[in-house]
Amino acid sequence: SNPLLPLPVLQAAHCQMIKDLSACLLGQNLRVDCRYENKTDNPLTYEFSITKDNRKHVIHSTISVSENIYRSRANVTMHKNLVCLHLQSFTTSDEGIYMCELKATNDYTGNQIKNITVIKDKLEKCAGFSLLIQNTSWLLLLLLSLP
């Protein structure tokens, strides 16, 4: 038997860095939340891109150069365990598959990638930071746990 066999499994478990990718509309702007699990204090690099008509366009990135048409409309904010893309004046021409790519400096597992398909009519409005409160099952759990 090959003693090196279990190694890829360990690596795969280690590199589940991006936990969740979600998109919502804030007024006329698109917000894409890329939540990750912070396993290191190393600086984080990111890239947000869109694939449409089978072509990848970089919207905002610290890894490569973003395209001019997006650069003026996009900005990224970083919070604890969250990298957030804001794209102004979102229209149907901005529909496509959005990709969040994260890489921690010196992380041997390489880049983490997650995709989400964004269609304007199917987007929900951003709930700000009161997401938990609007989640009824969470409220129910809270009520059930009260003495």
Side-chain angles (χ1 to χ4, degrees):
S1 69
N2 187 346
L4 292 174
L5 213 55
L7 202 58
V9 182
L10 284 172
Q11 281 190 334
H14 166 81
C15 70
Q16 291 305 315
M17 188 169 158
I18 299 180
K19 296 202 306 203
D20 183 48
L21 188 60
S22 60
C24 59
L25 270 181
L26 197 59
Q28 300 299 308
N29 304 338
L30 174 73
R31 195 177 103 193
V32 181
D33 287 358
C34 190
R35 293 180 187 283
Y36 64 94
E37 198 176 333
N38 205 355
K39 294 194 182 311
T40 165
D41 287 333
N42 292 347
L44 195 71
T45 56
Y46 62 82
E47 179 165 301
F48 284 97
S49 61
I50 179 176
T51 301
K52 48 180 188 177
D53 311 319
N54 291 323
R55 283 193 56 221
K56 178 180 159 182
H57 308 270
V58 178
I59 301 174
H60 207 285
S61 176
T62 57
I63 298 169
S64 60
V65 179
S66 52
E67 295 192 13
N68 277 334
I69 50 163
Y70 291 110
R71 195 178 300 148
S72 56
R73 293 169 52 204
N75 73 305
V76 166
T77 54
M78 295 178 88
H79 314 272
K80 182 178 163 55
N81 297 347
L82 174 66
V83 186
C84 204
L85 169 74
H86 308 268
L87 186 64
Q88 294 170 353
S89 323
F90 178 79
T91 65
T92 47
S93 63
D94 298 314
E95 292 178 343
I97 300 168
Y98 281 71
M99 186 167 88
C100 170
E101 185 174 335
L102 298 183
K103 183 171 173 50
T105 315
N106 299 331
D107 187 356
Y108 64 87
T109 50
N111 300 19
Q112 286 298 295
I113 295 172
K114 210 168 176 67
N115 296 329
I116 187 173
T117 302
V118 174
I119 309 286
K120 192 168 196 254
D121 289 345
K122 294 189 173 169
L123 279 172
E124 296 191 8
K125 289 188 164 56
C126 298
F129 290 100
S130 59
L131 275 174
L132 279 176
I133 296 162
Q134 296 189 341
N135 187 332
T136 18
S137 59
W138 182 83
L139 261 179
L140 201 63
L141 276 171
L142 183 72
L143 292 170
L144 288 172
S145 66
L146 289 173

